[in-house]
Amino acid sequence: MMRTQVAIVGAGPAGLLLGALLGQAGIDNVIVERSSAAHVLSRIRAGVLERGTVDLLRRVGCAVRLDAEGLIHEGIDLAFDGALHRIDLKHHSGGRTVTVYGQTEVTRDLMEARSALGQQTLYEATDAVLHDIGEKPRVTFQKDGREVELACDFIAGCDGFHGVSRQSIPASALRQFERAYPFGWLGLLADVPPAGDELIYARHERGFALCSMRSSSRSRYYVQVDASDRAEGWSDDAFWDELRRRLPESVAGQVTTGPSIEKSVAALRSFVVEPLRHGALFLCGDAGHIVPPTGAKGLNLAASDVHYLFEGLREFYGERSTGGLDAYSAKALARVWNAERFSWWMTSTLHRFPDQGEFGQRLQLAELDYLTQSDAAMSALAENYVGLPL
Ligand code: FAD
Ligand code: DHB
């Protein structure tokens, strides 16, 4: 039997960041990950980091490449009615900015730092089962054809929306809040220069589109598609055509097309469970909540959960006080619900809904029009987009 202080289930950004913070504080931890490291790194997801997320990565010494290669963005563009409207995030948020740096790179940096420090991540550890999560918890799993048992003081459930941690909590102990959206995002990654210097969130009668990037030579684009669409059903040409149709002409003309490196569909969902703790098990990141990607909050919320949980664990091991751990769920949920509201609002304002009708379309345009004229509305967008304080 293995033993550690904190067993972390899942080596996504939440699990790896928590492991790095705990390791730095001298708190022993083991990460148990179902997939291979290569598979974890193959998933193209978030691209926008709030300042709080960047600060956490700096604190654990994992921001050298981020500080060298991350792109600082001071604004975003909204596109509607054939025109671009810039929102000056920096001006409207008291000087704050966001950093464009891919989730894949964050994960890679955290993985490399972890292995350099000799901290344990067990990849391809399948069939994880959580036992006795009320107290004296254990995690069992299959590794290299053998069953392994890991005893611990606490379990951090960082295993994403489809993980085992949330499902290990009795249904009667959780409340679930959910909204599914009747569409998805088809994303395409390509080694072509981005259409502009900043991100463009576009509302169009045919549906939403987003121009994002990973570097000055790598672009990430998204188009709203039917929830049932498969990436295989979309050729690269069809994607580029649809993207350009949804952008103002001046932007469409700046889109450089090229072969896709990756193409995938993500479903859009709002989801929260309460509380984020059951006994010695704490849920972090997507294991406890999902936001639709509009507004780029998913990864940043995972980081803020980790921050609160780490503070609680540090207090426990340093001072034998459970105060921080007892406060974890309420503290994390307060921030989660703010991001849920913002992501829902941004999704509702920019997407085409099957049942919105012409009245709904006019309301969207009025909302966007107001947004680009009113300092108060721009400030409300900016302070949420750059990230509310931890
Ligand atoms: P995850 O990244 O999901 O990591 C969970 C880890 O746990 C995975 O490595 C998984 O293999 C592992 N795991 C799962 N089950 C088990 C198990 N039983 N045992 C052991 N390990 C297990 N956010 C944005 O801000 N912008 C975006 O554009 C964006 N796009 C997205 C696209 C998709 C398809 C998805 C699914 C999410 C997207 N998100 C986006 C959200 C963002 O990527 C997530 O919020 C973020 O990855 C959450 O990190 P996490 O560590 O909590 O979970
Ligand atoms: C990206 C994803 C988002 O959800 C978003 O709001 C902005 C950028 C991206 O993948 O680059």
Side-chain angles (χ1 to χ4, degrees):
M1 172 152 66
M2 296 170 66
R3 179 157 177 92
T4 189
Q5 289 175 301
V6 181
I8 300 173
V9 186
L16 287 163
L17 181 59
L18 180 64
L21 287 162
L22 292 173
Q24 195 176 48
I27 300 169
D28 191 51
N29 63 91
V30 173
I31 304 184
V32 177
E33 164 62 48
R34 180 175 59 184
S35 304
S36 66
H39 180 259
V40 173
L41 287 173
S42 70
R43 294 177 305 202
I44 311 296
R45 291 179 170 185
V48 178
L49 307 183
E50 296 172 4
R51 176 63 191 266
T53 306
V54 171
D55 285 347
L56 284 170
L57 291 164
R58 286 196 184 126
R59 179 165 160 186
V60 293
C62 282
V64 176
R65 213 156 58 89
L66 188 161
D67 281 329
E69 298 172 18
L71 307 170
I72 306 291
H73 281 206
E74 299 185 354
I76 55 170
D77 279 306
L78 299 178
F80 58 94
D81 250 357
L84 275 187
H85 306 263
R86 183 168 189 269
I87 307 284
D88 189 332
L89 297 173
K90 191 173 181 184
H91 173 73
H92 287 289
S93 68
R96 296 170 81 89
T97 56
V98 292
T99 304
V100 174
Y101 189 71
Q103 175 167 339
T104 312
E105 308 310 316
V106 172
T107 309
R108 187 191 311 278
D109 296 344
L110 287 165
M111 277 179 178
E112 283 177 4
R114 189 169 175 88
S115 66
L117 291 171
Q119 291 167 340
Q120 221 174 0
T121 311
L122 301 169
Y123 286 100
E124 297 179 88
T126 58
D127 305 312
V129 179
L130 279 48
H131 305 268
D132 304 325
I133 55 177
E135 51 179 329
K136 295 213 177 10
R138 290 170 298 127
V139 182
T140 56
F141 49 90
Q142 297 290 321
K143 175 76 184 152
D144 302 326
R146 286 189 309 120
E147 175 159 290
V148 182
E149 187 171 356
L150 174 62
C152 55
D153 302 329
F154 300 105
I155 301 174
C158 300
D159 48 352
F161 183 63
H162 300 287
V164 66
S165 297
R166 190 181 66 253
Q167 290 163 30
S168 306
I169 302 175
S172 59
L174 288 180
R175 281 195 72 187
Q176 286 199 51
F177 303 84
E178 183 164 20
R179 170 161 305 184
Y181 300 87
F183 41 75
W185 280 16
L186 172 65
L188 180 148
L189 188 70
D191 274 329
V192 293
D197 296 335
E198 294 182 332
L199 270 57
I200 303 169
Y201 289 85
R203 182 237 175 240
H204 189 273
E205 282 68 29
R206 295 180 64 87
F208 171 75
L210 170 59
C211 307
S212 182
M213 65 192 71
R214 292 291 176 270
S215 68
S216 59
S217 58
R218 181 169 283 190
S219 301
R220 178 69 167 164
Y221 289 106
Y222 297 94
V223 292
Q224 176 186 349
V225 294
D226 286 343
S228 59
D229 277 19
R230 297 275 153 264
E232 305 79 61
W234 281 81
S235 68
D236 287 0
D237 285 345
F239 180 95
W240 292 117
D241 287 346
E242 188 58 34
L243 173 73
R244 284 179 294 194
R245 257 186 230 134
R246 297 182 186 185
L247 298 171
E249 263 174 46
S250 59
V251 181
Q254 295 299 311
V255 172
T256 309
T257 63
S260 61
I261 308 170
E262 191 265 5
K263 223 166 23 194
S264 54
V265 176
L268 268 69
R269 187 194 305 273
S270 299
F271 175 87
V272 183
V273 290
E274 292 184 358
L276 294 173
R277 173 191 190 173
H278 187 80
L281 167 64
F282 295 83
L283 301 178
C284 272
D286 280 15
H289 42 80
I290 297 285
V291 288
T294 335
K297 290 287 160 245
L299 171 57
N300 293 299
L301 276 185
S304 57
D305 285 0
V306 162
H307 166 74
Y308 298 131
L309 181 57
F310 168 65
E311 291 299 331
L313 289 167
R314 190 168 64 164
E315 192 181 317
F316 177 82
Y317 287 110
E319 302 159 29
R320 288 285 147 187
S321 153
T322 61
L325 290 176
D326 293 340
Y328 167 71
S329 178
K331 241 183 177 171
L333 282 169
R335 198 166 189 283
V336 164
W337 276 112
N338 269 309
E340 290 288 345
R341 187 207 64 79
F342 177 66
S343 307
W344 160 83
W345 170 79
M346 217 164 148
T347 302
S348 309
T349 305
L350 291 165
H351 288 72
R352 180 192 151 94
F353 285 74
D355 56 356
Q356 71 189 146
E358 289 189 20
F359 186 81
Q361 295 197 13
R362 285 290 192 280
L363 288 184
Q364 275 186 338
L365 288 169
E367 174 117 33
L368 287 164
D369 197 43
Y370 172 63
L371 190 58
T372 48
Q373 317 247 352
S374 154
D375 274 347
M378 281 188 272
S379 298
L381 170 67
E383 69 176 4
N384 281 281
Y385 193 89
V386 301
L388 295 173
L390 283 182

